[in-house]
Amino acid sequence: PAAVRDRANRTVLAGVRAAAQQEERAVWARLAGARDPVTLLITGGQLHEVRARLARLAAVAAAVDRPGRALLDLEVEPRPTSGQGVRAAVAQGDVDSARHVGVLTPGFTTGVDELPGRLDELSALAADAGPGTATVAWYGYDTPQADEVGDPDRSVLDHTAAEEGGARLATFLDGLDAARPVEEPDAHVTAVGHSYGSVVTAAALATGDHG
């Protein structure tokens, strides 16, 4: 259920933030004691990476720090080989009982750092749609970034990232359906894809019946 996932993911979020803060202090100490240019360069890069991760985790925390919000999914890769290393899905409203659920998948150059503002937009959308509506900002895939255009496996000009993201989105949509209580009727789910997210959404829905 969404409430259980929310509690578990908030616990994970607190843990990874604390670990990243500890890592930042350790890296800063190494940087302060470094003297040769190579060590300075490497350690400086490590400090930049951990601070970027902390900023993204802070954005996730800010997004869920409002009434009616639920952290449905959270994945953190400290040293990602692609993407930004933090993936999350945040709901506004109760997806387990809402009659209507909208799931937004973002696109090119986006990331979890924009979650607080995106959730405000989705809250307004739900209010306009009327009672019984919940929305989800699904940032559960590695969105292509501007500096990855030349990488055929990550480029917005290719479909590889969309297929990988689509598989993740399909699993998420299946999870929404599976977690719904038996006494509740099936939700009317609307999948919304923005920019490259529309390609991801198409890839997800082409894999089968996801409600």
Side-chain angles (χ1 to χ4, degrees):
V4 176
R5 283 192 280 172
D6 178 53
R7 287 196 299 271
N9 285 318
R10 285 176 189 263
T11 299
V12 172
L13 177 60
V16 294
R17 290 186 78 186
Q21 288 164 353
Q22 183 177 3
E23 182 182 351
E24 180 191 31
R25 290 191 292 269
V27 173
W28 176 252
R30 292 199 303 272
L31 184 63
R35 293 296 179 266
D36 65 279
V38 175
T39 302
L40 285 168
L41 181 63
I42 294 174
T43 310
Q46 293 171 341
L47 185 63
H48 174 77
E49 187 280 324
V50 71
R51 285 182 171 173
R53 190 185 341 138
L54 277 168
R56 291 172 186 133
L57 293 172
V60 175
V64 300
D65 190 25
R66 295 280 294 275
R69 301 276 172 87
L71 185 54
L72 299 182
D73 193 15
L74 178 67
E75 295 179 78
V76 181
E77 295 181 29
R79 290 164 186 80
T81 56
S82 65
Q84 298 183 325
V86 179
R87 296 182 286 270
V90 181
Q92 171 66 50
D94 186 358
V95 295
D96 287 347
S97 63
R99 185 67 191 92
H100 305 279
V101 178
V103 179
L104 170 71
T105 300
F108 184 45
T109 73
T110 59
V112 296
D113 54 297
E114 67 177 34
L115 269 172
R118 187 68 70 203
L119 263 295
D120 288 342
E121 294 176 355
L122 291 179
S123 296
L125 176 66
D128 286 344
T133 301
T135 52
V136 179
W138 187 80
Y139 285 65
Y141 81 110
D142 296 322
T143 55
Q145 300 298 308
D147 60 357
E148 297 176 317
V149 171
D151 183 347
D153 292 329
R154 296 287 308 144
S155 177
V156 70
L157 304 176
D158 194 72
H159 55 79
T160 302
E163 291 177 352
E164 294 175 353
R168 287 176 172 272
L169 177 58
T171 300
F172 179 79
L173 295 174
D174 284 341
L176 285 182
D177 187 54
R180 202 163 176 89
V182 293
E183 65 272 13
E184 292 287 349
D186 289 344
H188 168 226
V189 179
T190 302
V192 183
H194 171 252
S195 181
Y196 193 73
S198 62
V199 187
V200 177
T201 301
L205 301 183
T207 63
D209 181 10
H210 303 288

